[in-house]
Amino acid sequence: MGPARLRQPCSLSCGNRCRILHGGGYFRCRGCHRLKYETQYEPAFGRAATHALKIRDRLGAKARLDDPFPEKPKGMHWKTYERLRTAWAVGISAKLRLFEPPAE
């Protein structure tokens, strides 16, 4: 099962046990410091584009959404390739849907 992970209590705040405490005036968890992940600052279409670009990067393609979807890399299972292709298509359709004008 592996070694047990050490968890430390969030000092002077919520008391949750966390693996990572962030510094400042006090060492606290992400929630108490109100820290956000980088993607939480992106608009919705930006998150969809980032997700689609990560999929293309995993397949070894150029970082352009305009290019056709890349071929299956050697050694990748077809099931994995089809799952990534479906996730990419969903991400692209979500991105394009956000650019459409609202229906009247």
Side-chain angles (χ1 to χ4, degrees):
M1 254 175 51
R5 293 186 176 171
L6 297 176
R7 298 190 185 268
Q8 300 168 341
C10 178
S11 63
L12 300 175
S13 290
C14 64
N16 286 340
R17 298 186 61 80
C18 307
R19 279 188 38 216
I20 299 173
L21 296 177
H22 301 273
Y26 298 98
F27 286 96
R28 296 181 178 166
C29 65
R30 290 186 72 86
C32 291
H33 270 303
R34 294 191 174 131
L35 298 175
K36 293 184 177 183
Y37 292 100
E38 185 177 348
T39 55
Q40 291 176 312
Y41 290 104
E42 288 184 281
F45 67 86
R47 286 193 301 274
T50 301
H51 183 67
L53 288 172
K54 282 185 179 182
I55 291 172
R56 292 182 63 82
D57 185 47
R58 184 169 174 192
L59 295 171
K62 296 178 192 170
R64 290 190 54 191
L65 296 176
D66 303 3
D67 295 340
F69 196 75
E71 298 293 321
K72 181 183 86 66
K74 184 178 179 183
M76 180 179 279
H77 290 271
W78 277 104
K79 188 175 182 178
T80 303
Y81 177 74
E82 290 300 328
R83 182 177 45 82
L84 290 173
R85 186 179 181 102
T86 302
W88 179 79
V90 168
I92 291 297
S93 65
K95 180 181 175 206
L96 294 176
R97 197 174 324 115
L98 291 170
F99 284 115
E100 292 177 359
E104 292 183 28

